[in-house]
């Protein structure tokens, strides 16, 4: 490996007393900075506060990581650990950059090496400083901790400076510079970051793996004014993570979703990140060569595969095992002028209900459609009485829904719902059937509403789209979904709506025979019988087939694009396991597809559906 400054050689503290070892160009700049000359040094005269040549040279080394790192850190792959610690030449600008950075790179291009070198440089050169290194799990931190401890063992001049190494409940280093260095795994909610406040640097490794908002908000809460933030990761293709959005901000992305994220994120409003992108092809031979390229193509299944784009190119690409790959899903995003989306959230603490509604525009970009939301409604209502029926009139809530979704009543339509109550949102969607195509025309999101209010919402939408002629509903049959279905099918005020016949709730993990979109069994060649498949797999397979045939028309709603293109699955021993992150819109769509399959198309009573 080639050191990034060839002329910097390993030094010891004793060496610094005997001769000038700082590279000539750097040393002359140091002299000029102090308005000093070689003649004065020859007379053993030194500028204040330095008393001898050792102190004067040491201060020069400490003035730049490009000098200090190769001088005092040792190469761990050298058997004798006498060679300088080596970084790649493309890391020179990064490690010397004084501000906030994001490193969106391929795998094994030097990210961990840079974290080790940068953190140790600050620990030895900043008096009374403090730093935080975070990662998703302790195992990610262990590699960094062990590499730092090795460096202290390799250089006897550095080893005594670590005056304390606390290991429980989390690792912490304390140096004789009074610099404190904290190591914290993020955990599921960032709890380990609480109580820490650092003023020199805060680093996140494997940042793309952290997708819980509290893992980020608690991290940024630990950052004091003036503290430098550095984020490192291989991208994983998901569009709904903070790392993705921050990297897009650093790239200068201007779409509506990214701008809205910035405005809603107080912790990053004043932070401007410099983006560094290191694909593997920046590495010299033998780390990158035609042979290595072929190796990675074979390993990851082609240059277009998500894993190749992530690990070799350091690009977003699609998520690994993406269910709805962007390169296919993008062609389903269409201009749908009639599409409307309404989000309603109850704030009980302040006695308010907020309502935000928008339509979407299709904006063509270099890499495909760019979502753009255009606000139609943005207002608040008093919570008191908002959901209440008035004698002879509908509630304000129902009136709002009906006035907002003032849509055409022509054409057969299908509804889908995924219900939540406390933390999870409720999503209600409506598609219009145009021949074999399904066009998404309406979306209602509810937060912090009761089961009764969810019933009102579905029923109000049902009124708009002429239910008795065309509209059937598919919903999830979890705790909230089963409660809503029970009320809609049992309460007197909904009795004339025939929800017993028009609404089915599905338990996605139940199994059924694998069938096509017409309900015809798909026979397993080995057994001669229909294969068993979960309802979630069945609905997903139908959506994927329709996507591939371009029989889905989805609006350029940023929420929809992020949700679908970020949805992943893994393969279990019996069936596929789908990610539960940000899947509410997709589950509403799945329920819609199942209702169409088991109720509208085949006329079969479904044993997995409610109301039987």
């Amino acid at each position: 490996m080639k050191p990034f400054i060839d002329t910097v050689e390993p030094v010891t503290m004793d060496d610094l007393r005997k001769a000038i070892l700082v590279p000539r160009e750097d040393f002359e700049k140091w002299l000029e900075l102090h308005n000093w000359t070689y003649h004065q040094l020859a007379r053993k005269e030194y500028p204040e506060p330095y008393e001898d040549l050792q102190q004067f040279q040491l201060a020069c080394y400490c003035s730049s990581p490009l000098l200090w790192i190769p001088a005092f850190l040792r190469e761990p792959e050298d058997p004798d650990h006498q060679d300088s610690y080596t970084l790649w030449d493309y890391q020179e600008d990064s490690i010397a950059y004084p501000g906030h950075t994001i490193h969106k790179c391929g795998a094994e291009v030097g990210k961990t090496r840079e974290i080790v070198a940068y953190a140790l440089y600050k620990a030895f050169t900043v008096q009374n400083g403090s730093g935080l290194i975070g990662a998703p799990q302790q195992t990610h931190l262990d590699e960094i901790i062990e590499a730092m401890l090795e460096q202290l063992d390799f250089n006897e001049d550095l080893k005594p400076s670590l005056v304390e190494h606390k290991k429980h409940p989390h690792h912490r280093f304390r140096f004789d510079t009074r610099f404190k260095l904290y190591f914290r795994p993020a955990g599921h909610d960032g709890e380990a970051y609480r109580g820490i406040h650092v003023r020199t640097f805060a680093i996140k490794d494997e940042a793309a793996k952290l997708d819980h908002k509290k893992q980020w908000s608690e991290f940024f809460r630990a950052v004091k004014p003036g503290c430098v933030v550095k984020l490192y990761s291989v991208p994983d293709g998901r569009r709904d993570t903070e790392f993705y959005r921050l990297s897009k901000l650093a790239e200068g992305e201007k779409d509506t979703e990214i701008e809205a994220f910035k405005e809603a994120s107080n912790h990053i409003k004043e932070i401007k990140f410099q983006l560094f992108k290191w694909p593997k092809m920046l590495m010299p031979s033998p780390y990158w060569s035609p042979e290595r390229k072929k190796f990675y193509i074979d390993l990851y299944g082609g240059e277009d595969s998500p894993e190749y784009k992530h690990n070799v190119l350091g690009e977003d690409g699609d998520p690994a095992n993406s269910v709805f790959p962007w390169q296919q899903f993008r062609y389903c995003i269409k201009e749908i002028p009639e599409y409307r989306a309404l989000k309603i959230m109850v704030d009980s603490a302040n006695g308010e209900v907020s309502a935000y509604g928008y339509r979407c525009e299709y904006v063509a970009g270099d890499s495909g459609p760019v979502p753009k939301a255009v606000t139609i409604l943005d207002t608040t209502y008093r919570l008191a009485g908002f959901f209440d029926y008035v004698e002879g009139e509908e509630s304000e809530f129902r009136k709002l829904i009906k006035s907002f979704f003032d849509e055409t009543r022509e054409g057969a339509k299908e509804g889908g719902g995924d219900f939540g109550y406390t933390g999870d949102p409720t999503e209600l969607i409506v598609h219009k059937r145009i021949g074999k195509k399904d066009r998404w025309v309406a979306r209602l999101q509810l937060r912090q509403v009761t089961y009764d209010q969810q019933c009102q919402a579905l029923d109000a939408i049902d009124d708009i789209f002429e239910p008795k002629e065309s509209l059937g509903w598919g919903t999830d049959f979890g705790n909230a979904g089963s409660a809503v279905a029970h009320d809609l099918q049992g309460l007197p005020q909904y009795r004339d709506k025939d929800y017993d016949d028009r609404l089915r709730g599905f338990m996605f993990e139940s199994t059924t025979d694998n069938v096509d979109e017409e309900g015809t069994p798909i026979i397993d060649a080995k057994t001669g019988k229909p294969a068993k498949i979960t309802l979630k797999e069945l609905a997903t397979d139908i959506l994927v087939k329709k996507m591939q045939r371009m029989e889905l028309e989805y609006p350029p709603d940023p929420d929809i694009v992020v949700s679908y293109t970020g949805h992943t699955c893994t393969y279990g021993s019996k069936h596929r396991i789908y990610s539960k992150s940000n899947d509410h819109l997709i589950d509403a769509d799945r329920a819609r597809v199942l209702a169409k399959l088991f109720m509208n198309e085949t006329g079969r009573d479904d044993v997995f559906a409610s109301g039987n």
Side-chain angles (χ1 to χ4, degrees), residues 541-577:
D541 288 346
I542 292 174
L543 284 172
V544 169
K545 290 174 185 176
K546 292 182 74 67
M547 176 188 69
Q548 293 170 342
R549 296 197 297 260
M550 295 180 62
E551 293 177 358
L552 298 174
E553 294 186 355
Y554 289 170
D557 186 325
D559 291 349
I560 294 174
V561 174
V562 167
S563 179
Y564 280 76
T565 58
H567 195 52
T568 61
C569 74
T570 57
Y571 291 86
S573 58
K574 295 183 178 180
H575 57 81
R576 284 163 278 168
I577 302 170

Side-chain angles (χ1 to χ4, degrees), residues 17-207:
R17 293 190 180 95
K18 301 172 184 177
I20 297 174
L21 301 178
V22 178
R24 183 186 184 95
E25 182 178 351
D26 297 286
F27 192 71
E28 289 181 349
K29 289 180 180 178
W30 187 244
L31 287 172
E32 183 178 355
L33 178 66
H34 290 82
N35 194 24
W36 217 249
T37 68
Y38 283 107
H39 294 295
Q40 289 172 294
L41 296 182
R43 296 195 299 268
K44 299 187 182 298
E45 297 174 2
Y46 304 96
E48 293 184 356
Y50 311 113
E51 297 179 356
D52 54 32
L53 182 60
Q54 181 194 58
Q55 291 183 7
F56 190 60
Q57 285 197 95
L58 179 61
C60 183
Y61 278 112
C62 291
S63 67
S64 169
L66 302 179
L67 293 172
W68 188 91
I69 291 169
F72 290 99
L73 300 187
R74 303 292 182 257
E75 174 52 47
E77 295 184 7
D78 170 25
D80 299 324
H81 309 306
Q82 297 300 312
D83 293 342
S84 291
Y85 192 88
T86 50
L87 296 171
W88 304 115
D89 53 3
Y90 53 77
Q91 294 180 274
E92 179 178 347
D93 291 340
S94 166
I95 205 161
Y97 187 76
H100 310 291
T101 63
I102 289 181
H103 300 75
K104 186 177 181 179
C105 308
E108 299 170 348
V109 294
K111 296 185 297 297
T112 300
R113 276 182 169 254
E114 178 167 312
I115 292 172
V116 170
Y118 177 87
L120 284 175
Y121 168 69
K122 291 296 183 180
F124 277 90
T125 60
V126 177
Q127 292 284 334
N128 298 307
S130 53
L132 167 64
I133 300 179
Q137 301 176 19
Q138 183 61 42
T139 53
H140 299 123
L141 295 172
D142 286 343
E143 181 182 0
I144 297 172
I145 294 169
E146 290 169 6
M148 288 185 174
L149 292 175
E150 281 184 346
Q151 287 301 318
L152 301 183
D153 285 337
F154 295 159
N155 190 334
E156 292 298 326
D157 287 332
L158 301 185
K159 189 171 185 178
S161 297
L162 181 62
V163 296
E164 181 186 19
H165 178 190
K166 182 181 177 183
K167 299 181 180 180
H168 301 288
H170 301 291
H171 289 262
R172 186 193 72 188
F173 291 171
R174 183 167 61 86
F175 295 85
D176 60 6
T177 56
R178 296 188 295 280
F179 192 102
K180 293 181 180 180
L181 179 53
Y182 302 91
F183 301 88
R184 292 289 188 273
H188 72 283
D189 61 357
E191 182 179 0
Y193 297 140
R194 295 171 191 168
I196 296 176
H197 298 91
V198 292
R199 52 183 171 269
T200 307
F201 66 78
I203 293 172
K204 258 186 186 291
D205 193 19
E206 302 290 352

Side-chain angles (χ1 to χ4, degrees), residues 286-447:
Y287 300 96
W288 184 257
S289 64
E291 293 76 20
R292 291 299 288 172
K293 179 178 181 179
K294 183 179 183 303
F295 169 78
Y296 287 118
I297 290 174
D298 293 341
L299 177 65
Y300 296 125
E303 292 182 75
D304 292 330
S305 69
E307 292 88 349
Y308 187 92
K309 290 184 176 180
H310 302 161
N311 293 289
V312 177
L313 303 181
E315 295 179 354
D316 292 305
D318 286 317
N321 297 321
S322 175
V323 180
F324 305 98
W326 168 246
Q327 292 303 321
Q328 295 177 18
F329 186 80
R330 59 186 287 192
Y331 295 109
C332 296
I333 303 174
K334 304 293 183 181
E335 187 85 52
I336 303 178
E338 66 268 36
Y339 174 78
R340 297 293 183 270
L342 177 62
K343 298 181 179 181
I344 297 176
M345 184 177 71
V346 174
D347 183 354
S348 300
N350 293 318
E352 292 181 345
V353 178
S354 64
Y356 171 65
Y358 58 92
R359 61 181 177 84
C360 291
E361 292 182 352
Y362 171 94
V363 181
D366 294 338
S367 59
V370 178
K372 181 180 180 182
V374 180
T375 300
I376 299 174
L377 173 71
D378 189 1
T379 188
T380 58
Y381 299 84
R382 290 185 59 192
L383 177 57
F386 182 75
F387 294 99
D388 297 342
Y389 285 99
V390 180
E391 187 68 29
E393 295 185 11
E394 292 187 317
S395 65
E396 283 189 84
F397 178 48
R398 289 177 62 97
K399 288 179 181 178
L400 171 62
I401 293 172
K402 287 189 173 185
S403 64
F404 185 82
F405 294 106
D406 186 18
E407 296 295 330
T408 175
R409 300 173 185 270
E410 298 177 359
K413 297 183 177 68
E414 304 155 356
D418 182 65
F419 295 96
Y421 183 42
T422 53
D424 292 330
T426 290
E427 295 283 359
L428 298 173
I429 67 173
V430 176
H431 284 231
K432 179 192 294 184
R433 264 185 277 163
I434 305 174
K436 289 188 175 182
K437 292 191 175 184
D438 296 344
R439 175 180 293 178
W440 195 324
V441 295
R443 172 197 176 199
L444 173 62
Q445 181 190 86
L446 306 171
R447 288 184 180 273

Side-chain angles (χ1 to χ4, degrees), residues 219-255:
F219 173 82
F220 279 106
R221 193 176 58 81
V223 176
K224 287 187 173 183
C227 180
V228 171
V229 177
K230 301 176 79 68
L231 309 175
Y232 294 80
S233 195
V234 175
D236 63 7
R238 293 181 299 160
R239 267 67 172 174
D240 60 343
T241 66
E242 190 135 350
F243 179 78
Y244 171 81
R245 295 183 179 113
L246 289 172
S247 69
K248 288 301 180 183
L249 282 173
E251 289 175 358
E253 188 75 41
K254 296 295 184 182
D255 75 58

